[in-house]
Amino acid sequence: MDSAVVRGKRSAYSEQKLYEELKAEGIFLTECRRIRKEAESERLLKPDRLSDFSGQIAAMIGAGITLSKAMEIMQKDLPDKRLSSIYADIHRMLRQGSSLSDAMEQTGAFPEFMINMFRAGETGGTMETAASRMALYYRKEQRIRNGIRSALIYPGILAAAAVVMILVIFLFVMPELEPFFEGMELPAVTRLLMAFSEFARTGWPVLILLPFLPGLAWKGVMENRKLRRRWDRLKLKLPVTGRYLRSIETARFARSLSSLYAGGLSMPECLDAASRTIGNLYLEEQFSVIIHRVRTGEMLSRAIEDADGLDRRLAPAVFVGEETGKLDQMLESLAEHYEHESDIAVTRLTALIEPAMILVLGVLIGWILTGIMLPVWNMYGNIQ
């Protein structure tokens, strides 16, 4: 029988659906890669908005209100014009006969993970449960984000204060000391300090642009797939912080997989959707192989034990759930366990940032003081 390798692009809301569509056409999927649209993440609603949306849908379905009426109620008196427009579009599509998941997908404002959960709820008649799970999921996701932001406030203030202090020294203090140092044999550290001071006074346009350069460099790294993959891999391999980051990524994966599996999706669909919630490209790209192994009949625990970046304790725990026939309960228990570890990891990561910032600032201040005081000490030594 003749065979050929076929390459191309196909639109599907999950890898499992793509596999089924191609199989129906006599084509067997061996490998696929999701094409990311530019600025895709910027269009998505934030976790707090997603949590509110899911919670309101669950409450109104529980009260016996139709989805169309629920969207009509939800879009009233919203201060956010974009959110109001999204809700109005969903309401319009629902009235035209679309399902809620299809309407959400058309807006481009909802993540695929959430759309898949709602679609599974529609298929299985468990829409209220699916919406409640999504409300809880995004509430926890927002809690993690808020924790990270809150922990970075103090280091951020410290860094801003340090920058202001250094600029004051370079722009105002050093120029006043230059006449005092004139004619003296200055040490290298003082000459370097005066050169920086001169640059700060004459090259101020560059100083204005300087704070934006790290952001532009970071954006370039994130948009380059190869560089981002290397960066995401490096993060997981770091000596101390890597272990904490692996706990956070595993918690996100376990929570997503638990919600999807409880929603009634097949395991390949669960893995496909859960992998996209991790946020680490290096780890996410490994799931194409994992999904293929699960689809061919391999146990989930065996398939994920080789995943480089997930916590090593995950696979044995999943194996216990598979052997006892209580995988759904084990996944839920794992999600709670790793969420707790994730909270601890965030706390420890932020605890490492503060002393690192203080150490860097101490070195900078020590360098500046040394550069200023060394000539004075040398002068007094010569006088004595």
Side-chain angles (χ1 to χ4, degrees), residues 111-331:
E112 289 187 35
F113 168 65
M114 183 175 179
I115 294 169
N116 289 343
M117 276 295 294
F118 273 60
R119 186 170 277 132
E122 290 168 340
T123 304
T126 57
M127 190 64 181
E128 183 182 354
T129 303
S132 297
R133 285 183 177 274
M134 287 295 92
L136 179 61
Y137 173 86
Y138 285 109
R139 196 178 303 126
K140 291 180 177 180
E141 185 72 16
Q142 184 64 22
R143 185 190 66 189
I144 292 175
R145 292 192 179 194
N146 288 340
I148 294 174
R149 289 196 191 103
S150 299
L152 292 176
I153 289 176
Y154 174 71
I157 294 174
L158 200 62
V163 169
V164 172
M165 182 191 67
I166 291 170
L167 286 177
V168 167
I169 292 173
F170 283 164
L171 295 174
F172 301 105
V173 177
M174 290 304 298
E176 295 294 327
L177 293 175
E178 283 182 5
F180 178 73
F181 292 151
E182 192 172 349
M184 296 175 59
E185 183 66 30
L186 299 176
V189 63
T190 306
R191 293 198 302 270
L192 184 61
L193 194 62
M194 292 179 68
F196 273 108
S197 176
E198 179 67 21
F199 173 76
R201 280 175 286 156
T202 59
W204 58 267
V206 178
L207 287 178
I208 294 175
L209 295 175
L210 200 60
F212 299 99
L213 293 180
L216 292 174
W218 179 254
K219 185 178 180 181
V221 170
M222 290 296 102
E223 290 179 353
N224 186 299
R225 192 174 184 87
K226 185 178 292 186
L227 290 177
R228 184 184 171 187
R229 185 191 300 111
R230 289 179 179 176
W231 167 246
D232 285 348
R233 182 179 184 275
L234 176 64
K235 289 190 300 184
L236 299 174
K237 300 294 183 181
L238 292 173
V240 179
T241 59
R243 178 162 56 90
Y244 299 141
L245 290 173
R246 287 194 296 271
S247 293
I248 293 172
E249 303 294 9
T250 305
R252 192 171 279 137
F253 170 72
R255 185 169 66 248
S256 304
L257 188 63
S258 172
S259 298
L260 289 161
Y261 190 70
L265 294 177
S266 67
M267 185 54 71
E269 287 180 308
C270 291
L271 291 170
D272 182 44
S275 66
R276 298 175 191 172
T277 66
I278 295 174
N280 185 293
L281 184 59
Y282 172 70
L283 190 52
E284 180 183 332
E285 288 187 342
Q286 298 179 53
F287 274 86
S288 58
V289 176
I290 293 172
I291 292 169
H292 176 71
R293 291 171 63 179
V294 170
R295 188 183 290 126
T296 54
E298 192 168 352
M299 294 175 67
L300 174 62
S301 55
R302 294 292 177 85
I304 64 173
E305 67 181 354
D306 296 327
D308 185 20
L310 291 177
D311 189 273
R312 293 300 179 190
R313 295 168 295 172
L314 179 64
V318 170
F319 176 76
V320 173
E322 290 173 323
E323 287 293 302
T324 58
K326 298 179 179 179
L327 182 58
D328 53 343
Q329 296 177 22
M330 179 57 71
L331 287 175

Side-chain angles (χ1 to χ4, degrees), residues 84-128:
S84 179
S85 175
I86 291 170
Y87 284 9
D89 289 341
I90 293 175
H91 180 225
R92 173 179 53 79
M93 286 185 276
L94 286 174
R95 293 183 65 184
Q96 292 172 352
S98 296
S99 65
L100 178 59
S101 58
D102 288 340
M104 290 164 60
E105 189 173 26
Q106 289 297 318
T107 64
F110 296 89
E112 289 187 35
F113 168 65
M114 183 175 179
I115 294 169
N116 289 343
M117 276 295 294
F118 273 60
R119 186 170 277 132
E122 290 168 340
T123 304
T126 57
M127 190 64 181
E128 183 182 354

